[in-house]
Amino acid sequence: MRGGGHSFLAVWQLSITPPFGDNSLDVDTRNPLHGGDTLPFSCERPPVVECLSSSYSLWLNLSIVTMASKSEDEYVRAEPFGPEGKAQLFTLQRGGIRLRVTNWGATIVSLMVPDKAGQNDDVVLGFDALTPYMDGTSPYFGSIVGRVANRISGAVFTMDGKEHMLAATTKNPDITLHGGKKGFDKVLWGVKDFGCSPDPFVQFVYCSFDGEEGFPGEVDVSVVYRLGGNFELRTEMEAVPINKSTPINLAQHSYWNLGGHDSGDILGHHVCIRGSHITPVNEHLIPTGEFLFVEGTPFDFRHPRRIKDSISDVSGGYDHNYVLDKEASMEGDVHFAARIKDPGSGRVMELLTNAPGMQFYTGNFVPDMEGKNGSKYRKHSGLCLETQGLPNAINQPNFPSIVYKPGQVYKHIMIHRFSTI
């Protein structure tokens, strides 16, 4: 066996697997304007479970701690997480960056990166235990949201002449937020693959059934988290409708605080957004269908400035979608979306994506709650940069379409790059 004779030990529990397509259509991006013992083994991927045609979900239940490693500072470790090991927790390490993710909700639980003095801190909000993610306590901390992220007005849409009623998350008026009452953030995803070749990664899969939260058709979904490059987290979301056309719009909903998740609020963060228009909203935070040029408004972050310098001019705080100016900043298949900086720690995070929009949210609705290590979270403890299609696009004909036909591949890429100044 390669890798100096390391051994591999794991217990696999298999159930029926959903299929996952291998097409090449990209998402329409038209712009309308450490702890625990480990068992090392060589850096070969564990067996990949092939998908079978089925509407049932699958998981590989790792009932012991398992590890894939290249070296002491580059590895992936899997271990049980939650009551009776209901889910798994994966630790991905590459040099000075360490990511912990769980297959419950395909959720980022923590991300450790160094500050300007070399001190590592966790820069995402979250919980030490699985239960708050499962019981509704979590306000989408670190999760993948879908089948359609953001808000759908009236909790209804019409497609091909048929009306589809969705599970409403709020009443009076009815609104569907982040996929409904039980979206992708509140389900157990399968673990299809993990390893460290060529870089530490884990892949989660989920089969969304026909009629789930009111959405039509079966959809196979995949999320890959990978540590690569120099302090880089790459997230790749793919989805393929199986038997019916359906709207798809996924988002990664981490709450960031570059000072550290327990450092207080993010109002002193400097923000730059490559977006010259926003989609204005009504009193229920539903886009009106218009596009507003940001110049001369509190929404103009085309040049870096502190959140606290203008947030008081925005009723309720920032929770708005930016139409990203991708043509001005292409880098291969992605474009620059935003940069945030925390002056105290010196940490900088850049975000690149292939998505047309980005929801900038300043944690206005985060309640007083206890987070990791007994820390206290509250309003403005973190901010979100949720790249996605435009909100309520299924009900706005002038927004780029988010409808995918059977066999078409939705693909959404996010790259987070970390540095210090």
Side-chain angles (χ1 to χ4, degrees), residues 244-299:
K244 296 179 183 179
S245 295
T246 190
I248 303 174
N249 185 22
L250 308 182
Q252 213 299 321
H253 208 294
S254 287
Y255 287 68
W256 303 95
N257 188 323
L258 297 188
H261 75 102
D262 54 356
S263 65
D265 65 55
I266 43 77
L267 299 180
H269 280 41
H270 293 239
V271 175
C272 179
I273 299 174
R274 183 67 62 85
S276 55
H277 292 78
I278 65 165
T279 52
V281 296
N282 62 22
E283 67 272 22
H284 305 297
L285 299 176
I286 301 292
T288 64
E290 303 166 304
F291 299 97
L292 173 68
F293 187 45
V294 298
E295 186 172 355
T297 76
F299 302 100

Side-chain angles (χ1 to χ4, degrees), residues 121-125 256-266 269 342 345 347 377 381:
D121 289 304
D122 186 353
V123 296
V124 295
L125 275 59
W256 303 95
N257 188 323
L258 297 188
H261 75 102
D262 54 356
S263 65
D265 65 55
I266 43 77
H269 280 41
D342 171 51
S345 67
R347 291 189 184 92
Y377 298 154
S381 284

Side-chain angles (χ1 to χ4, degrees), residues 109 122 124-128 141 257 260-264 366-378 381:
V109 175
D122 186 353
V124 295
L125 275 59
F127 303 100
D128 296 313
F141 283 166
N257 188 323
H261 75 102
D262 54 356
S263 65
V366 175
D368 291 351
M369 63 195 324
E370 184 173 309
K372 288 174 286 191
N373 302 318
S375 58
K376 302 300 181 183
Y377 298 154
R378 56 185 58 86
S381 284

Side-chain angles (χ1 to χ4, degrees), residues 59 110 140 158 209 211 258 335 344 379 406:
W59 58 92
S110 71
Y140 308 102
T158 300
F209 58 86
L258 297 188
H335 55 91
K379 182 178 181 179

